Each structure stands twice: as structure tokens, then as C-alpha cells.
Amino acid sequence: MKWVSHVTLTGTIAYAITADPMCTAAAALGAVLPDKIEGTPASQGWSTWRSRHRGWSHWPVLYLALIGGLAQAKAYFFYDAAFFSVLTWLFIGALLHIAEDAVCGKVPGITPTQKVGIRLFSVGSFREYAFVLFCIVVVYAGQYILRI
């Protein structure tokens, strides 16, 4: 997916769950984190970047471990609820990025070398934006139904 799709969809999901602008912003930032870690094609050449794209930075176990580590760190370090919440949502944003990439290609699964996913659309296509719009409508419809 394009970054705009990641940020829009992840931000919508985060706000629907938290109604907290700070957590939403952290999730939206996390939504581009896996790609930012890899760099850009311009910085390293297309073939080098492409060979590394959706590698270890897209491995969900890494972000799950970081979230688990944060949960454990609360007991051993200073505890500021806002700080831990923002960091947690940053990593949740990265997990949502990976899930979103898994519907337009393959991403690492349980191991970093195992690739899983489907290709419902091509990156940057009209179908990508229609998929994002559909997901946003589902999120808001779900919220509406839950409030009734």
C-alpha cells in the first residue's frame, strides 16, 4: 500500500478504538515505520531496496515482542501511562501496516523468511483506494452499530 493509505486506514482504526488524538497520531506514525526503517529506493538503488523490502522490518513478531516488552517494563521502570500508551500504539500502527501490506503482497509470517499474504490489488491502484475506503466505512459502521 501507499503511505497515504497506511496512515489513513491505521489512523481511522486507532481513533475508532481509542478516541485519543495522541494514540491516533502514534499509530499513524507507526503505520509508516516498517517502510521508513528500510529506507527509500533513491537512497540505496531500486534493486537493493526491492530485495530488502518487506523483510525483517515487516516481521510482526518483532513488534509483538516490543509490545510485550513494554508491558513488562512498566513493572521495572518509571511508569507514565501516556508514554507507554503512545509507544504501544506506535507498535500497533506498525502491526496494522504489516496486515495492510499482507492484502497486497507477501510479508514475513512466524519466521522472518516465511512469506504469507494475498494480492487483492496492486499498490497505488484504484482498487487499493477502494479497499481503504471500504475498510473505513466498515470501521465507522461497526462503531455506529455498537453505539445503538
Side-chain angles (χ1 to χ4, degrees):
M1 284 187 160
K2 295 281 194 174
W3 283 18
V4 67
S5 297
H6 283 300
V7 170
T8 304
L9 183 53
T10 299
T12 300
I13 292 167
Y15 192 77
I17 293 170
T18 67
D20 182 337
M22 187 65 84
C23 291
T24 300
L29 182 62
V32 296
L33 184 63
D35 285 344
K36 272 303 220 187
I37 290 170
E38 292 177 343
T40 62
S43 67
Q44 51 195 302
W46 174 258
S47 60
T48 302
W49 176 82
R50 191 72 194 143
S51 69
R52 294 180 184 157
H53 186 55
R54 295 187 182 159
W56 69 270
S57 68
H58 284 66
W59 187 35
V61 175
L62 173 66
Y63 300 101
L64 290 170
L66 289 168
I67 291 170
L70 282 174
Q72 295 302 313
K74 290 178 186 179
Y76 300 103
F77 298 102
F78 74 93
Y79 179 73
D80 178 15
F83 176 75
F84 280 95
S85 185
V86 164
L87 276 181
T88 300
W89 277 97
L90 179 81
F91 299 138
I92 290 172
L95 286 169
L96 288 169
H97 172 107
I98 295 164
E100 293 158 5
D101 272 359
V103 297
C104 63
K106 295 194 178 227
V107 296
I110 300 299
T111 66
T113 56
Q114 171 199 21
K115 299 285 186 164
V116 296
I118 57 175
R119 189 175 178 118
L120 296 178
F121 49 82
S122 298
V123 173
S125 68
F126 172 79
R127 289 177 73 180
E128 173 184 334
Y129 302 117
F131 176 81
V132 170
L133 181 61
F134 173 78
C135 290
I136 289 170
V137 168
V138 167
V139 167
Y140 280 111
Q143 277 209 315
Y144 178 76
I145 291 169
L146 291 174
R147 289 184 183 164
I148 291 179

